[in-house]
Amino acid sequence: MNYSSKELEKQWQNYWEKNRSFEPSEDFTKPKKYILSMFPFPSGRLHMGHVRNYTLSDTFARYYRQQGFNVLHPIGFDSFGMPAENAAIKNGSHPKKWTYDNIDYMRGEFKSLGFSFSKERDMATSDELYTKFEQGFIIDMYEKGLLYRKKGFLNWCPSCHTVLANEQVIDGSCWRCDSDVVKKDMNQYYFKITQYGDELLSDLSKLEGGWPKQVLTMQENWIGKSNGLEFKLHFDDKSKEKLNDKFDGFSVFTTRPDTIYGVSYAALAPEHEIVSYMIENSLLDKDTIEKIKEMKNASSIDRQKEKSGVSLNLQVLHPLTKKSVPIWVANFVLMDYGSGAVMAVPAHDERDFDFAKKYNLAIESVIKPFNDELFLDKAFTEAGELFNSEMFDGMNSKEAQSKIIEYFEAQKIGKKTTNFRLKDWGVSRQRYWGAPIPFVHCHDCGIVMEKKENLPVALPEDIQITGEGNPLENHPTWKYCKCPECGKDAIRETDTMDTFVESSWYFLRFCASPKNWEKEAFSKEQIKYWMHQQGHSGVDHYIGGIEHAILHLLYARFFTKVFRDLGYLDFDEPFDKLLTQGMVLKDGAKMSKSKGNTVDPDAIIEKYGADTARLFILFAAPPTQELEWNDNAVEGAYKFIKRFFERSANVYKTDSIPAILHSKLTKEEKFARKKVYEALVRAEDVYKEKYTFNTMIAGVMEAMNALNLQSNSDVWSEGYWILTSIMEPVIPHVCWEISSQKFSFKNLAPQMVIEEVFEEESIMLGVSINGKRRCEIEVAIDASQDDILEIAKQNAHKWLEGKTIIKEIVVPKKLVNLVIKD
């Protein structure tokens, strides 16, 4: 039997397509598994990261089909987004044509890799039908008060020409193009994700055991819940007068109320409304205004590096001592946290200390180490004993926190408050290729929702994309419409939605029957079946990169809770088990076109076949670890598959697993059976718990080697019956070929472990002389102690010649120790 991957793989790919082999059944009495990979952006070609992701999900899907489950294993395309516009600018193409041409190409690649995706539930998020349903959800969220519009300083990417959510700013740079992000004052639509902050945090406990600890920690830190004291700092009379009595003070939040008596200055963010008022009303000199503008334009990460600030020549009164406290604008204060204003305690905060040192501001210590001396050359940030704190002197600083909050509340000058690092999700983007926000601006009615019967609000296709401005804003007709409320002339909203909105609910879209695909976004009946099982809810296995731990996964959790509250769902979390696969590297670096170290999956398939690519991906490293590309290992994977296929010539045709009398077999035959069933036990463990497919494949290789040491056709046939079943999820084409030729597909089903193959007839024991290991002996499992000693002495005779044995020790099933003397 000669192995020809190209011919064999095309044959089975066509067979699967013709026979609808991977379409889920609508028989809801069957046990189910919903297996899903994070869907791709249609960039035009798969890369090895894609291949790893989808090979992992496909392996789970095929395994569970064998086990008798009804499997939903869909694929879609996250097809809106800026790369399509950038390609349009570069190539003079239309974003829609570029996108759907790429989708068609990638579908062909999926087929060539043998991925068992449902074709009947395939979709793209740029499909008008998807947009229609999504716009309906947006209207529902607006009516529920979960979507609002306001003006503010937003993250602006000057390269992508669009606003970014906080989560999309990575170390001060755009998550997509790495350009430095600046702040821009403009209107924006927001999802009220902060309303779910407590639940998003507390429900992380429901995901323990199913999600990687690292992802849970990353989300916990991003949500960033902190408890503390909120109070108002009031301006003195002179400062109020300077501000034209527009402001009487501002609120601050602190997690360290125990340091309240150490406040020596307060700092405002450059974007704070008081600062803006002073600039707009020329209450600051030109140099100060220029410095503030520089702070505003700096990225968030740059503002945390070099501390800088300017004095506003304003004073507030300390809430307890009534001393005057100077007000500064400081670049390290951000509007994203609290109120955009902080009380500064340089003696007990390193950031405040550095700023105070730079500008020669007062440093007032109020906490000292327990029974130790206080050094003033740096901030003391540990727990300690309060002093210079009036009635709280001598208190432990930890205990003082709650006492001081109680005092503020009793005096009605402050209150205990919880703050979140998490901020509302800004979702409007100033780009063409996205889902239009379904609102209309009416001169008389204000912001009005489009009527649902008029959805979708579809994108116009006759646009010019230049990279400058939003094409929808400049379109001659599209944005002009009638108000859905009063019927007068109105203007459509020209912002489109952040593409993370589409990926926040796409997993639910697959829970729509093809027969109702056009009528509903998803079916309650299908949701109840596919997203619930045995006390768990959500997608059973979700696979994707850890780089989505904050963005996509947090947003999908938010949408699930919103949809629950809107009555669409009855569960809290979207994904039951999450597997985050490591990156694919070459020459120690992540594969990228800019580094010139990419590997084209098409070239690998052409040379070796899809099964080789799949086997290498799963064998080279555990899925959660980084995978280093290795050409020699790819060649090795191909050679193994070739041997696996060609040695099936030793197997005879049968529609049932051979019945073998184990006791009549030779030692080599028994060993081969043992290794085969060891591989089966390992496979079951890997699929259900560990996901270390490399160890499972290694077990199959060991079994193959053991089979090759014997010639019993029954043992060969039983071995292949089981090994082909184990390996079908990994290398499906060659396994379907073997199974069709030898087993009529009967072996692609659950396999039973036969315990008798693990029963040992003999064991190996080490033999030591005076505690030093000299040799090994093989003895019957039920050998007596006398027999064991006799065999040990025979095998160790050269170390016993002329010696006297003074002690004989047998440790059952482990070793023999003989103590001798001259």
Side-chain angles (χ1 to χ4, degrees):
M1 296 176 67
N2 293 320
Y3 175 57
S4 172
S5 63
K6 191 176 296 186
E7 180 182 324
L8 183 152
E9 290 179 356
K10 284 182 179 177
Q11 169 195 329
W12 286 109
Q13 289 159 12
N14 291 334
Y15 173 90
W16 296 327
E17 186 170 16
K18 181 181 177 182
N19 289 275
R20 299 179 64 253
S21 300
F22 309 128
E23 296 305 327
S25 165
E26 298 209 357
D27 177 1
F28 292 168
T29 64
K30 297 176 66 175
K32 67 87 190 181
K33 286 290 179 182
Y34 184 178
I35 313 295
L36 183 65
S37 287
M38 294 181 187
F39 63 173
F41 178 80
S43 57
R45 298 186 84 84
L46 294 182
H47 55 66
M48 278 302 167
H50 288 131
V51 176
R52 191 178 199 193
N53 189 332
Y54 305 131
T55 299
L56 285 167
S57 72
D58 197 57
T59 304
F60 281 116
R62 288 176 176 275
Y63 170 77
Y64 282 111
R65 285 195 198 95
Q66 276 199 36
Q67 303 308 303
F69 286 85
N70 187 14
V71 174
L72 174 60
H73 183 221
I75 192 65
F77 297 89
D78 194 12
S79 50
F80 272 138
M82 289 177 283
E85 289 194 44
N86 294 338
I89 297 166
K90 182 178 179 181
N91 304 320
S93 62
H94 193 285
K96 183 173 183 178
K97 184 178 187 309
W98 182 87
T99 297
Y100 283 91
D101 284 350
N102 287 347
I103 287 173
D104 287 342
Y105 187 86
M106 291 174 76
R107 282 175 177 148
E109 288 187 299
F110 290 154
K111 180 178 177 180
S112 70
L113 281 156
F115 294 146
S116 61
F117 295 131
S118 164
K119 285 185 171 292
E120 295 173 6
R121 303 193 188 208
D122 179 301
M123 58 84 181
T125 58
S126 53
D127 295 344
E128 287 189 12
L129 189 60
Y130 194 89
T131 296
K132 172 187 173 180
F133 294 131
E134 181 168 279
Q135 288 172 339
F137 297 144
I138 296 303
I139 289 170
D140 291 344
M141 292 171 76
Y142 184 73
E143 289 180 328
K144 185 92 172 171
L146 293 171
L147 177 66
Y148 63 93
R149 187 175 189 251
K150 74 170 186 178
K151 194 171 186 180
F153 280 93
L154 307 174
N155 304 308
W156 177 263
C157 175
S159 176
C160 297
H161 298 283
T162 191
V163 163
L164 301 174
N166 291 333
E167 292 84 355
Q168 294 165 333
V169 181
I170 311 298
D171 294 335
S173 300
C174 173
W175 72 283
R176 187 179 289 283
C177 72
D178 290 331
S179 296
D180 289 342
V181 171
V182 298
K183 292 290 184 178
K184 193 169 183 177
D185 192 17
M186 58 193 300
N187 282 310
Q188 169 84 320
Y189 289 90
Y190 295 87
F191 282 137
K192 201 176 284 185
I193 192 172
T194 52
Q195 186 169 313
Y196 288 82
D198 266 322
E199 191 181 356
L200 287 167
L201 186 63
S202 62
D203 279 1
L204 290 174
S205 62
K206 296 180 180 179
L207 304 174
E208 291 175 0
W211 283 37
K213 289 182 180 178
Q214 183 183 2
V215 174
L216 299 179
T217 300
M218 290 168 74
Q219 290 215 359
E220 181 180 359
N221 292 340
W222 186 263
I223 296 167
K225 183 178 181 179
S226 57
N227 296 310
L229 171 67
E230 182 181 339
F231 63 95
K232 192 166 187 177
L233 287 169
H234 293 274
F235 287 118
D236 63 12
D237 291 339
K238 188 176 180 181
S239 298
K240 286 181 190 176
E241 185 179 339
K242 185 174 182 179
L243 292 169
N244 303 317
D245 290 321
K246 176 72 174 176
F247 304 94
D248 65 349
F250 54 87
S251 293
V252 293
F253 169 81
T254 179
T255 58
R256 292 291 308 275
D258 51 317
T259 66
I260 186 68
Y261 286 92
V263 174
S264 62
Y265 67 94
L268 302 179
E271 299 85 4
H272 197 281
E273 62 175 339
I274 291 173
V275 181
S276 298
Y277 178 82
M278 296 184 78
I279 292 172
E280 291 165 4
N281 290 275
S282 303
L283 301 178
L284 298 169
D285 61 63
K286 288 184 179 179
D287 286 345
T288 300
I289 291 173
E290 280 304 311
K291 289 176 182 176
I292 292 172
K293 285 182 177 178
E294 286 176 16
M295 292 184 218
K296 284 183 181 180
N297 290 329
S299 68
S300 298
I301 196 72
D302 287 337
R303 284 170 61 170
Q304 303 303 309
K305 292 176 182 175
E306 178 69 25
K307 308 291 184 299
S308 66
V310 291
S311 172
L312 291 178
N313 293 316
L314 299 173
Q315 305 278 333
V316 289
L317 300 175
H318 191 286
L320 300 180
T321 67
K322 303 306 179 185
K323 290 181 181 178
S324 290
V325 176
I327 309 304
W328 285 65
V329 174
N331 66 341
F332 62 77
V333 185
L334 305 175
M335 290 301 296
D336 292 342
Y337 186 76
S339 62
V342 299
M343 67 172 219
V345 186
H348 305 293
D349 182 279
E350 292 174 356
R351 179 196 60 190
D352 298 347
F353 182 88
D354 292 343
F355 191 87
K357 278 290 188 182
K358 181 172 182 176
Y359 293 105
N360 199 28
L361 299 171
I363 299 175
E364 300 174 6
S365 300
V366 294
I367 301 175
K368 60 185 178 181
F370 297 114
N371 305 315
D372 202 355
E373 188 177 350
L374 180 66
F375 295 94
L376 301 179
D377 59 337
K378 62 178 181 178
F380 176 67
T381 59
E382 307 298 322
E385 179 184 319
L386 266 64
F387 72 106
N388 291 337
S389 300
E390 297 182 348
M391 71 186 84
F392 301 102
D393 282 354
M395 264 190 199
N396 180 301
S397 59
K398 291 291 185 186
E399 297 171 1
Q401 291 186 2
S402 58
K403 297 295 183 183
I404 290 173
I405 291 174
E406 288 173 10
Y407 182 77
F408 267 76
E409 291 185 324
Q411 298 297 313
K412 295 185 171 20
I413 57 174
K415 61 181 180 179
K416 184 177 182 180
T417 304
T418 299
N419 257 348
F420 289 89
R421 181 186 179 212
L422 178 70
K423 294 301 170 188
D424 282 345
W425 172 14
V427 293
S428 42
R429 300 291 179 265
Q430 295 67 48
R431 301 296 293 234
Y432 162 74
W433 191 237
I437 297 173
F439 295 143
V440 168
H441 298 273
C442 175
H443 182 269
D444 293 341
C445 305
I447 296 179
V448 180
M449 297 173 288
E450 184 56 86
K451 292 181 178 178
K452 285 190 177 181
E453 57 263 33
N454 295 335
L455 301 180
V457 177
L459 291 169
E461 295 192 22
D462 56 333
I463 46 90
Q464 290 288 323
I465 296 182
T466 63
E468 296 296 326
N470 182 354
L472 295 178
E473 184 70 35
N474 301 322
H475 194 278
T477 60
W478 181 83
K479 67 179 181 179
Y480 300 106
C481 64
K482 298 294 182 182
C483 173
E485 291 288 337
C486 68
K488 294 181 181 178
D489 289 343
I491 300 291
R492 287 202 184 282
E493 175 59 65
T494 57
D495 281 359
T496 54
M497 281 187 275
D498 179 7
T499 56
F500 281 96
V501 176
E502 280 84 68
S503 60
S504 294
W505 69 278
Y506 81 106
F507 54 94
L508 298 170
R509 175 59 173 154
F510 294 125
C511 297
S513 168
K515 62 188 178 186
N516 292 325
W517 193 255
E518 303 281 331
K519 298 177 184 176
E520 55 189 3
F522 44 81
S523 153
K524 283 198 172 183
E525 182 189 24
Q526 298 243 345
I527 288 280
K528 183 177 181 181
Y529 176 66
W530 291 116
M531 302 291 281
H532 285 278
Q533 184 170 330
Q534 297 177 348
H536 296 281
S537 62
V539 174
D540 294 286
H541 286 280
Y542 194 44
I543 299 134
I546 199 167
E547 65 270 20
H548 298 292
I550 301 299
L551 293 162
H552 163 57
L553 290 170
L554 184 65
Y555 294 155
R557 295 182 63 221
F558 165 63
F559 256 68
T560 301
K561 295 176 190 304
V562 169
F563 280 15
R564 175 203 61 199
D565 292 346
L566 291 171
Y568 307 150
L569 314 172
D570 63 355
F571 52 91
D572 304 322
E573 291 291 338
F575 312 117
D576 184 27
K577 287 187 172 64
L578 173 68
L579 174 60
T580 52
Q581 91 275 8
M583 292 188 298
V584 180
L585 311 177
K586 190 176 183 189
D587 304 324
K590 181 182 177 181
M591 286 188 182
S592 72
K593 291 179 182 177
S594 62
K595 293 175 182 171
N597 67 343
T598 58
V599 174
D600 184 0
D602 289 349
I604 299 300
I605 294 169
E606 178 66 25
K607 185 174 181 180
Y608 297 110
D611 282 345
T612 293
R614 295 169 62 118
L615 180 63
F616 167 77
I617 284 287
L618 293 177
F619 185 53
T624 57
Q625 295 180 12
E626 293 177 339
L627 184 157
E628 177 72 34
W629 187 264
N630 184 316
D631 291 331
N632 291 333
V634 175
E635 181 77 30
Y638 172 77
K639 288 179 178 176
F640 170 77
I641 295 172
K642 190 172 185 292
R643 285 195 302 272
F644 186 76
F645 180 74
E646 291 172 353
R647 287 180 188 172
S648 67
N650 296 319
V651 175
Y652 55 73
K653 289 184 178 182
T654 177
D655 285 350
S656 61
I657 192 167
I660 297 175
L661 189 59
H662 191 69
S663 61
K664 300 296 185 181
L665 299 180
T666 65
K667 178 181 175 181
E668 289 76 18
E669 292 164 352
K670 289 178 179 177
F671 180 69
R673 290 193 84 203
K674 176 187 173 187
K675 298 307 289 184
V676 166
Y677 281 97
E678 280 181 353
L680 176 58
V681 170
R682 190 181 297 184
E684 292 177 349
D685 185 38
V686 164
Y687 279 114
K688 293 175 183 176
E689 296 291 337
K690 297 179 179 177
Y691 314 145
T692 50
F693 296 105
N694 56 317
T695 64
M696 179 190 80
I697 295 165
V700 171
M701 291 176 173
E702 290 172 13
M704 284 293 298
N705 291 336
L707 283 169
N708 210 42
L709 296 175
Q710 56 84 54
S711 57
N712 186 319
S713 61
D714 285 340
V715 175
W716 268 105
S717 299
E718 178 198 43
Y720 260 71
W721 180 282
I722 293 169
L723 297 182
T724 306
S725 174
I726 293 172
M727 291 299 287
E728 185 272 339
V730 180
I731 49 173
H733 305 88
V734 73
C735 289
W736 276 64
E737 179 69 16
I738 293 170
S739 183
S740 69
Q741 290 185 17
K742 304 293 183 177
F743 309 127
S744 304
F745 301 124
K746 301 293 186 183
N747 69 319
L748 300 184
Q751 304 297 324
M752 298 293 294
V753 175
I754 299 176
E755 295 296 338
E756 69 173 354
V757 302
F758 302 115
E759 295 173 4
E760 300 284 358
E761 296 182 354
S762 64
I763 55 172
M764 301 299 293
L765 302 176
V767 179
S768 297
I769 310 295
N770 286 351
K772 189 170 184 179
R773 192 180 183 92
R774 293 298 187 184
C775 61
E776 280 189 341
I777 58 173
E778 183 175 4
V779 299
I781 195 75
D782 57 354
S784 67
Q785 184 165 312
D786 289 341
D787 290 341
I788 292 170
L789 286 169
E790 181 62 30
I791 295 169
K793 291 172 187 176
Q794 290 174 9
N795 281 267
H797 67 90
K798 70 178 181 180
W799 291 284
L800 301 176
E801 288 181 9
K803 312 294 183 184
T804 302
I805 299 174
I806 59 174
K807 197 170 187 180
E808 299 172 339
I809 303 167
V810 176
V811 179
K813 298 185 179 180
K814 287 189 177 180
L815 60 85
V816 176
N817 190 25
L818 302 175
V819 181
I820 62 174
K821 68 175 183 178
D822 294 332

